[in-house]
Amino acid sequence: MVVYCWPIRNNLTNKLFFSKSTNEEIALVVKHCYSFAYPVISLHYKQVELGMLDKKGEEIFYYVGIDVGTASVRAALVDQFGTVVDQAEQSIQIWEPHPVHYEQSSDNIWKACCQVSKKVSHSASNGQIRGLGFDATCSLVVLDKQFQPLAVNSEGDHDRNIIMWMDHRAGNQVDRINGTKHKVLSYVGGVMSVEMQPPKLLWLKENLRRECWDKSGQFFDLPDFLTWKATGELSRSSCTLICKWTYSSDGGWDDTFWKEIGLEDVLEDNYAKIGNQVLSPGSSIGNTLTSESAKALGLPEGIAVAASLIDAHAGGLGVIGADVKGHNLPCENEPITSRLALICGTSSCHMGISDKPIFVPGVWGPYYSAMVPGFWLNEGGQSATGKLIDHLVKGHSAFIELKQKAEARGQHIYTYLNNHLDRIRASGPVGFLAADLHVWPDFHGNRSPLADPTMKGAIVGLRLSNGLNDLAILYLATVQSIALGTRHILECMQAAGHRISTMFLCGGLSKNPLFVQMHADITGLPVVLSKEVESVLVGASILGACASGDFPSIQDAMKKMSKVGKVILPNLQDKRFYDKKYQVFLKLYEHQLEYRAIMKGI
């Protein structure tokens, strides 16, 4: 296609631009043409073709969202309509030096952020990228007084300067913290999790005092570390501090808590090491993107950088505010508080919001404005979901056979397993195949609603046979157990005052049809999947969009950038079966407590 331009300055008379012309070249011509008010023939259509304009002739703005998950970093280029234009992924390292110790490297993660950002930024001209948003797991990053990585291990390996979210080394410390019964604990379901930051800090002080604690300069939640790297600004997100550090949106830090647990050190210089400048998620961080970071990330210098979110909260932001008109969902004529966002990946998080604070035993929160501004957040969770499924499937003796057969058909192993379950059922629903096999899924402890990190997993109903059929049914029972755990959390939230009628799922496991259908059938609620599968990346991009000033509020950006994709309805005719499975599920918990009591009596 040829583009004709009328005479314009710099002797570009009758300049012809062909389809191979770059966005930058066309943008230059547009600038000159419009500055002299000359008409541009066909240039509009060229810009639409290249994604510079929408069909109405308005310029398209883009935002980059970067998501740091447990095992990889992803980036997406998202337009102002919520469409993911391009995305990239890069794996990151995990060290497990001791049982329940999990560590990462902030340098390794930042390099991965730069790699994926550069890949997606090529899909838009620099002038169109308006903002940058980060989300990440709630892992603890430690830097020394010169802002260099500081080892969180006895080996002194400074590359490993992150204690990961799923690290459970601070079990003794969290027990002592919970023993204080301090008032701040009422905002974490009454019991602090070993996955939060205060017990990790206390572990470092008690176990690596000289090597780490005394040399420390900054303790960051990983999302806040990323915004510091991008801007040089030490501000923290209210999301991370409220959800994982006991910060209060109205009262700030509670001195008495830190003194009572033996961490009075953090009070020095007005909490300088853990944060005394706090911003709401999506707020623009004053310094914007620095030239050094812009070059590393492949982004325009000076674009807006948003205060961050924890990864699960970004997923919630990316799905919970979608316009559901015309989909015949129960939440259509109900407030947004009737929706639950379920972010399911390595672990699962259940995000419910309310107008007023609701205290749910064993469920984190209520946190004010920690995800959606102006609303209180309760966060339930399961410490291992995707990781648990992988653990049981890949550890099974029939896994090699499964892998070979899946590869022969060019299928993912879970696609093959889903199809295999359809093949082996004689009649009736697939879920009935696991009528006699029951799983308690807390192989990594219970986050919600029992808030007991010492809980163990259990499987009841195994046989001597160990073939592919047995593996498929164990996989099914495991998926069901995770959905039953979601029902357990939901019932506790409903009993405390939440009124939830619809679930919105996102994350890696939401791509698995069996996982989604089991959640609908077992909870009895319709499930909404986003039009854009990568809702966490959309959520991170929403942050960048708000920081840029292109949207007046997070709520406005959520409504315009989140889109409903597929709706999955529950099979209500199977309700009695899953009610029975749920009864067994609760019995497995009761029995584990009984077994503990028996063994303590030795």
Side-chain angles (χ1 to χ4, degrees):
M1 179 179 64
V2 179
V3 179
Y4 296 90
C5 296
W6 288 98
I8 51 180
R9 59 162 54 173
N10 295 337
N11 297 317
L12 294 177
T13 305
N14 294 325
K15 177 76 174 182
L16 298 181
F17 276 78
F18 295 86
S19 58
K20 65 180 180 180
S21 302
T22 67
N23 282 10
E24 289 81 1
E25 290 172 330
I26 294 175
L28 176 64
V29 174
V30 172
K31 178 181 178 182
H32 290 317
C33 287
Y34 288 164
S35 65
F36 278 76
Y38 289 125
V40 182
I41 302 175
S42 299
L43 188 55
H44 162 76
Y45 302 103
K46 173 65 178 180
Q47 290 177 294
V48 170
E49 178 187 312
L50 292 178
M52 295 177 67
L53 301 178
D54 65 14
K55 292 180 180 179
K56 295 180 180 179
E58 298 177 355
E59 186 177 5
I60 297 177
F61 294 145
Y62 294 100
Y63 315 97
V64 172
I66 297 179
D67 161 56
V68 180
T70 299
S72 67
V73 175
R74 301 180 303 154
L77 184 73
V78 181
D79 67 23
Q80 77 259 40
F81 309 108
T83 303
V84 176
V85 177
D86 196 5
Q87 65 183 58
E89 184 170 5
Q90 177 66 43
S91 62
I92 51 179
Q93 288 181 277
I94 299 175
W95 288 269
E96 188 180 356
H98 307 287
V100 305
H101 286 222
Y102 295 93
E103 298 169 3
Q104 288 183 313
S105 162
S106 63
D107 283 348
N108 173 248
I109 288 174
W110 180 249
K111 287 176 183 176
C113 288
C114 295
Q115 289 172 332
V116 293
S117 178
K118 282 181 176 178
K119 289 179 181 177
V120 302
S121 66
H122 290 306
S123 297
S125 65
N126 284 350
Q128 294 173 300
I129 298 176
R130 304 267 296 166
L132 171 64
F134 290 98
D135 72 77
T137 63
C138 49
S139 299
L140 178 68
V141 183
V142 184
L143 303 181
D144 65 18
K145 292 177 174 61
Q146 288 73 45
F147 293 92
Q148 296 301 309
L150 187 59
V152 295
N153 47 76
S154 56
E155 294 85 359
D157 184 349
H158 296 299
D159 281 338
R160 292 153 43 201
N161 68 314
I162 297 177
I163 300 178
M164 291 183 67
W165 65 268
M166 61 184 182
D167 186 297
H168 281 199
R169 71 181 68 180
N172 290 333
Q173 286 74 21
V174 80
D175 287 344
R176 281 184 274 130
I177 290 172
N178 287 326
T180 67
K181 305 295 183 183
H182 195 281
K183 61 182 180 181
V184 300
L185 299 179
S186 63
Y187 286 87
V188 292
V191 181
M192 180 169 286
S193 169
V194 69
E195 296 173 10
M196 294 180 176
Q197 308 304 8
K200 294 174 184 174
L201 294 176
L202 189 55
W203 187 93
L204 288 172
K205 182 176 180 179
E206 294 179 346
N207 292 272
L208 296 173
R209 176 89 188 226
R210 288 181 298 175
E211 302 92 332
C212 178
W213 186 258
D214 291 343
K215 296 178 180 178
S216 63
Q218 289 289 320
F219 296 105
F220 284 105
D221 221 279
L222 182 53
D224 296 324
F225 166 81
L226 298 173
T227 57
W228 168 73
K229 284 290 290 186
T231 66
E233 177 71 43
L234 290 173
S235 59
R236 265 69 162 182
S237 166
S238 59
C239 173
T240 58
L241 293 193
I242 292 172
C243 295
K244 305 301 175 186
W245 296 75
T246 74
Y247 186 84
S248 168
S249 57
D250 55 355
W253 296 113
D254 188 318
D255 296 356
T256 65
F257 170 71
W258 296 100
K259 290 176 181 177
E260 187 167 351
I261 68 171
L263 287 177
E264 61 282 347
D265 320 49
V266 301
L267 275 67
E268 295 176 3
D269 299 324
N270 189 28
Y271 292 91
K273 282 189 178 182
I274 63 173
N276 52 28
Q277 304 169 52
V278 185
L279 297 174
S280 297
S283 299
S284 179
I285 296 176
N287 288 352
T288 69
L289 188 64
T290 65
S291 58
E292 180 182 358
S293 295
K295 183 178 180 181
L297 292 163
L299 298 174
E301 180 181 348
I303 64 170
V305 178
S308 59
L309 280 172
I310 299 168
D311 55 346
H313 300 63
L317 203 68
V319 297
I320 203 169
D323 186 349
V324 298
K325 288 179 182 177
H327 292 277
N328 198 29
L329 287 164
C331 66
E332 180 174 345
N333 298 312
E334 297 174 344
I336 193 173
T337 53
S338 66
R339 308 177 183 191
L340 180 115
L342 173 52
I343 299 86
C344 37
T346 304
S347 64
S348 289
C349 294
H350 308 69
M351 305 293 194
I353 59 176
S354 57
D355 294 310
K356 297 180 179 179
I358 298 176
F359 293 85
V360 187
V363 173
W364 296 343
Y367 304 132
Y368 185 67
S369 290
M371 185 175 77
V372 181
F375 289 91
W376 293 84
L377 170 69
N378 282 110
E379 179 186 350
Q382 294 160 293
S383 291
T385 46
K387 186 175 177 65
L388 173 62
I389 295 171
D390 284 345
H391 174 74
L392 291 179
V393 169
K394 294 179 180 179
H396 197 278
S397 61
F399 175 68
I400 295 176
E401 179 186 355
L402 165 65
K403 187 177 179 182
Q404 290 172 342
K405 289 188 174 181
E407 288 176 350
R409 294 198 178 193
Q411 294 179 335
H412 192 282
I413 58 171
Y414 294 118
T415 302
Y416 186 91
L417 279 174
N418 291 346
N419 292 336
H420 189 75
L421 286 167
D422 280 327
R423 287 192 292 269
I424 65 176
R425 64 181 174 127
S427 61
V430 165
F432 287 24
L433 288 169
D436 298 320
L437 187 63
H438 309 284
V439 176
W440 180 262
D442 291 332
F443 283 55
H444 198 56
N446 184 281
R447 186 186 298 169
S448 302
L450 306 176
D452 184 353
T454 67
M455 288 297 295
K456 305 295 189 296
I459 303 174
V460 176
L462 292 172
R463 303 184 301 175
L464 279 176
S465 58
N466 219 14
L468 186 55
N469 287 0
D470 300 283
L471 169 54
I473 295 172
L474 176 60
Y475 157 69
L476 169 63
T478 304
V479 170
Q480 288 178 341
S481 76
I482 294 168
L484 289 163
T486 290
R487 176 170 170 175
H488 195 194
I489 293 167
L490 266 172
E491 288 191 356
C492 291
M493 293 177 69
Q494 301 271 33
H498 283 277
R499 297 291 178 264
I500 295 165
S501 64
T502 310
M503 290 196 299
F504 290 69
L505 263 64
C506 68
L509 287 174
S510 70
K511 303 173 188 177
N512 184 329
L514 178 71
F515 185 91
V516 175
Q517 190 65 58
M518 287 297 102
H519 272 75
D521 292 351
I522 288 171
T523 64
L525 298 180
V527 171
V528 177
L529 301 178
S530 292
K531 183 177 181 181
E532 289 291 347
V533 176
E534 304 299 346
S535 300
V536 175
L537 287 167
V538 172
S541 300
I542 285 174
L543 296 176
C546 289
S548 73
D550 293 338
F551 292 90
S553 68
I554 288 259
Q555 287 94 327
D556 188 63
M558 286 165 54
K559 189 172 183 179
K560 292 179 180 176
M561 294 179 69
S562 302
K563 302 288 192 302
V564 173
K566 191 174 182 181
V567 175
I568 294 86
L569 300 176
N571 296 314
L572 297 179
Q573 66 270 24
D574 301 336
K575 181 179 184 302
R576 186 170 181 275
F577 173 79
Y578 289 114
D579 285 346
K580 295 293 185 183
K581 286 282 287 189
Y582 187 57
Q583 289 180 38
V584 174
F585 180 81
L586 296 179
K587 283 289 184 183
L588 291 175
Y589 165 58
E590 294 174 12
H591 291 165
Q592 188 167 158
L593 295 185
E594 291 174 8
Y595 303 155
R596 283 187 188 178
I598 292 170
M599 297 309 296
K600 284 181 180 178
I602 292 177

